[in-house]
Structures are given as structure tokens and as C-alpha cells.
Amino acid sequence: QVQLVESGGGLVQPGGSLTLSCAASGSIFSIGAMGWYRQGPGKQRELVATITSGGITNYADSVKGRFTISRDNAKNTVHLRMNSLKPEDTTVYYCNVWIRGYNYWGQGTQVTVSS
């Protein structure tokens, strides 16, 4: 059993910053890739950023240069630092983790960018 707990969402003004965090707990022996996805109403879930166990990162073009993904392997956590936020970044963000061939999702955290 693996649990993912997300935190850090909220309301921020355009141009502002937020940091999302996701902590994995439970039957964890080793974590593979970790990442963040987002999904708006009526839209498909889309990749925001991923990071491998070795630290290789990948970003959606829409967030490159604004968002930074990082992980702490000792604490089984992944973070998403979001700078220069835009109204179009408003949606629900989901943590995603691969553990021994199984894929897990967090419950989602709302990010709202509005003045």
C-alpha cells in the first residue's frame, strides 16, 4: 500500500509563486520516476514535469523556465516550484510516482492564479 499526500496548492496572484510538495509513504522500497501532471475540467491530464531517480528532468514547453521540479530521495518527496504563475496555470495538479512497475497518483491539489 502506497499513499501520496500533496500539499502547497492555493490562490496566488499572476506573477506569483507557489511550491507543491508530495510525500510518498507506505510499502516503499525504491521509487522510480516522480512527476507532476495537471488536469482542467473537460480536459485530458497533461504532463507538467518529471524527474527520474537519477535527477534527469523533463518539462512541458508551457512551463519551461518558470517551474522547477526536485526530489528528496531520503524523504520520498517531490516538489514543484512554480514561478511567474499565469491564469492559464489554474487547474488541479496531481503527483505521480512509479514504484516497482506500479503507477500511483495523488488526490490532487488546486492551484488558482487570479487577481
Side-chain angles (χ1 to χ4, degrees):
Q1 193 86 12
V2 174
Q3 297 82 40
L4 300 180
V5 178
E6 299 156 345
S7 61
L11 173 64
V12 64
Q13 292 186 342
S17 298
L18 281 176
T19 298
L20 305 183
S21 296
C22 174
S25 62
S27 302
I28 299 172
F29 298 99
S30 63
I31 298 179
M34 306 178 84
W36 291 93
Y37 291 71
R38 62 189 182 186
Q39 185 174 20
K43 296 184 178 180
Q44 286 191 332
R45 192 167 294 187
E46 63 176 5
L47 177 149
V48 176
T50 60
I51 184 167
T52 67
S53 57
I56 297 173
T57 58
N58 181 50
Y59 295 94
D61 288 342
S62 59
V63 307
K64 282 181 181 177
R66 300 189 298 123
F67 292 10
T68 302
I69 189 170
S70 61
R71 62 188 285 169
D72 184 333
N73 291 329
K75 296 182 179 179
N76 296 328
T77 57
V78 60
H79 309 282
L80 185 70
R81 175 66 176 177
M82 305 184 292
N83 296 327
S84 303
L85 282 160
K86 304 175 181 180
E88 51 263 44
D89 295 317
T90 296
T91 191
V92 180
Y93 287 71
Y94 296 88
C95 173
N96 178 266
V97 170
W98 285 94
I99 299 174
R100 294 194 168 224
Y102 290 90
N103 195 227
Y104 299 91
W105 291 94
Q107 79 282 2
T109 185
Q110 175 71 42
V111 171
T112 302
V113 184
S114 175
S115 55

